[in-house]
Amino acid sequence: MNEEKKKQFLYLEAIKTDIINSIERNAPVIGSRNPMIGAGPTDHTWVYPEDYFWTDSFWTGQLWFAYMITGKDEYKNMARMRNSHLNKILDTPLWLNHDLGFEFSLSAVADYKLTGCKEAKALGLKAAEALRSRFNWHGNYILAWTAGSGNKAHAESVQGKIIIDCMENLSLLMWAYQETCNESFKEVAIRHAETTMKYIIREDYSTYHTYDFDPATNVPVGGKTHQGYADESCWSRGQAWAIHGYAQLALITGDRKFAEVSEKCTEYMLTKITDDFVPVWDYLLPENEIQYKDTSAGAVTSAGLFILADLFKSYGDLEKYDYYRGLALKMLIALRDNYDLTDDIHAQGLLSDSASSVPHARLRDQENLANAMLPYGDYYYFEAVLRALGHKDLFW
């Protein structure tokens, strides 16, 4: 190992150590709860959902990472404390949505991959079946959200809707396919990814947040946003989901076309990223708007770029491997140097300055929606560090 690589390795090891120390310090405080969002820009404590939220497994994923690295049973046991809640999710129809991949890949699948637990495998497969059941076989898409009975406008708006986030959930289906050899799991994942490529990925490889289809005919209607600045803007975390999600799918399937989508989405991002290499919450945000950062978008992007780099290494293209790994490291270092909270003994999370939903912050007058910690930012920050250190077989 040359001097430069040794220095880089020690730098990454230091981040990993600081993250594990933060998790160990905060685990007794968090207990069996599931962090949802930070309390505010300067209040680095967690707010928890009343009962359920789509973010419920990102802290669990960090616990499984800590167990994978240290072998300490305390992390495994704390992660498994959530199993009753996971079962409740699957038994509550109104809680079922496309985020089952986030919720169960980082919990039940992680457990099974690390320990061989048969109960965890069964739980993961049950979740994959629930996710597969959301697939519209005529429209070739997984329905994102479930319409409840209490809000007519919401119910009308979610019929026939897909969102870019779902690219991260397809890995649960691919894992189920690998475990069962049931082709339908794979077919659903591939069809949805191809529909997303056709409608959510624009010609310039920017992304819509959501896309609507006529629920009666499945005729495409058009792209919209729910969390970005405008329908035709480019929400930075959505772009990150595309970069990471398509790279991950290329890694699992071996299909290089998905790597090419990830690469082109990356190149678009590089034309919009600010000089500090930390995304603002929307890549097409006008200059007169408050330039809130979204470190969660940076963490997801960095982790995805490490996957993309490894893909090109497997293709024998070492020039692109070095290029994308260098970009991934640059973004990771920017997060570490400017937004890392691990040296703050009062901080319950890892990264500051994440933007959950700036438009909804304006509507609800909740500043923490625009600028606070986020458990998914923390999870992907940890993932990026581990990928940088050479860990490849993670939970997706």
Side-chain angles (χ1 to χ4, degrees):
M1 184 182 294
N2 63 37
E3 198 61 34
E4 183 61 32
K5 287 186 176 180
K6 182 178 179 181
K7 183 179 178 181
Q8 185 184 103
F9 174 78
L10 293 174
Y11 179 87
L12 294 168
E13 280 287 323
I15 307 175
K16 184 186 77 174
T17 299
D18 288 346
I19 288 173
I20 291 175
N21 287 342
S22 174
I23 291 171
E24 183 173 4
R25 182 172 68 243
N26 287 301
V29 178
I30 295 171
S32 61
R33 296 177 295 177
N34 301 305
M36 180 175 67
I37 191 172
T42 59
D43 183 351
H44 298 139
T45 60
W46 289 117
V47 175
Y48 303 92
E50 290 184 11
D51 205 354
Y52 159 83
F53 201 56
W54 72 276
T55 59
D56 280 350
S57 287
F58 288 106
W59 167 251
T60 310
Q62 293 174 67
L63 291 172
W64 281 117
F65 274 156
Y67 172 72
M68 181 180 78
I69 296 301
T70 68
K72 291 183 178 180
D73 284 343
E74 63 194 75
Y75 297 121
K76 175 180 68 178
N77 295 337
M78 284 187 286
R80 286 179 174 171
M81 286 167 61
R82 275 86 182 158
N83 285 357
S84 61
H85 180 66
L86 294 171
N87 276 292
K88 186 177 180 182
I89 290 174
L90 295 178
D91 290 339
T92 308
L94 285 177
W95 291 359
L96 299 180
N97 54 50
H98 76 145
D99 288 321
L100 290 163
F102 283 125
E103 292 157 357
F104 287 85
S105 291
L106 306 184
S107 55
V109 175
D111 188 348
Y112 174 63
K113 283 189 171 185
L114 293 175
T115 72
C117 176
K118 292 182 179 179
E119 291 80 5
K121 177 183 178 181
L123 187 59
L125 290 175
K126 185 178 179 182
E129 290 167 357
L131 181 57
R132 180 183 57 184
S133 73
R134 302 186 65 78
F135 190 68
N136 181 318
W137 290 91
H138 180 254
N140 288 316
Y141 59 84
I142 296 171
L143 184 65
W145 297 321
T146 298
S149 60
N151 187 326
K152 184 175 183 292
H154 177 264
E156 290 174 351
S157 71
V158 301
Q159 303 298 322
K161 183 179 289 294
I162 64 173
I163 69 175
I164 188 59
D165 312 40
C166 194
M167 286 306 304
E168 295 290 86
N169 295 307
L170 302 183
S171 294
L172 177 65
L173 297 172
M174 293 304 302
W175 168 79
Y177 162 68
Q178 293 166 348
E179 292 298 320
T180 65
C181 296
N182 186 324
E183 288 283 343
S184 66
F185 288 116
K186 179 180 180 181
E187 186 176 0
V188 166
I190 299 302
R191 284 195 186 193
H192 181 85
E194 290 176 342
T195 297
T196 302
M197 286 169 56
K198 186 175 182 179
Y199 294 106
I200 281 189
I201 308 292
R202 301 187 183 108
E203 288 188 9
D204 64 357
Y205 288 91
S206 64
T207 51
Y208 287 113
H209 178 199
T210 81
Y211 199 93
D212 289 332
F213 297 87
D214 185 306
T217 64
N218 292 309
V219 170
V221 175
K224 292 185 178 297
T225 196
H226 184 67
Q227 291 177 281
Y229 178 75
D231 290 343
E232 296 299 326
S233 68
C234 184
W235 178 50
S236 62
R237 193 163 65 248
Q239 194 75 8
W241 294 139
I243 292 167
H244 189 288
Y246 278 104
Q248 184 67 29
L249 194 60
L251 184 67
I252 297 170
T253 64
D255 192 332
R256 191 162 177 168
K257 73 180 179 186
F258 296 131
E260 291 171 355
V261 174
S262 177
E263 180 181 21
K264 289 175 181 177
C265 288
T266 298
E267 293 307 307
Y268 176 86
M269 176 273 295
L270 290 172
T271 67
K272 304 299 180 184
I273 193 77
T274 47
D275 291 342
D276 62 356
F277 230 61
V278 178
V280 293
W281 68 278
D282 194 297
Y283 284 125
L284 294 177
L285 189 67
E287 291 182 3
N288 64 321
E289 295 285 342
I290 299 174
Q291 303 293 303
Y292 289 112
K293 291 294 186 179
D294 185 5
T295 57
S296 75
V300 176
T301 302
S302 178
L305 291 177
F306 280 115
I307 303 172
L308 192 59
D310 285 340
L311 284 167
F312 279 109
K313 187 176 184 179
S314 72
Y315 302 152
D317 192 335
L318 296 184
E319 183 177 347
K320 284 192 174 180
Y321 163 74
D322 288 337
Y323 174 65
Y324 286 112
R325 180 176 171 84
L327 292 175
L329 281 168
K330 186 176 180 180
M331 188 166 280
L332 179 59
I333 290 168
L335 296 174
R336 167 67 166 187
D337 288 351
N338 300 291
Y339 301 99
D340 184 293
L341 296 171
T342 56
D343 65 348
D344 181 350
I345 62 171
H346 301 294
Q348 295 176 5
L350 305 178
L351 287 177
S352 67
D353 293 76
S354 287
S356 173
S357 180
V358 178
H360 291 83
R362 291 170 178 154
L363 289 172
R364 303 174 194 171
D365 195 27
Q366 288 181 247
E367 191 178 10
N368 67 326
L369 293 176
N371 187 3
M373 302 184 304
L374 287 173
Y376 37 97
D378 287 3
Y379 168 83
Y380 282 96
Y381 183 48
F382 201 174
E383 179 180 308
V385 172
L386 294 180
R387 290 192 185 279
L389 285 167
H391 295 274
K392 301 182 188 302
D393 187 18
L394 303 182
F395 309 146
W396 299 109

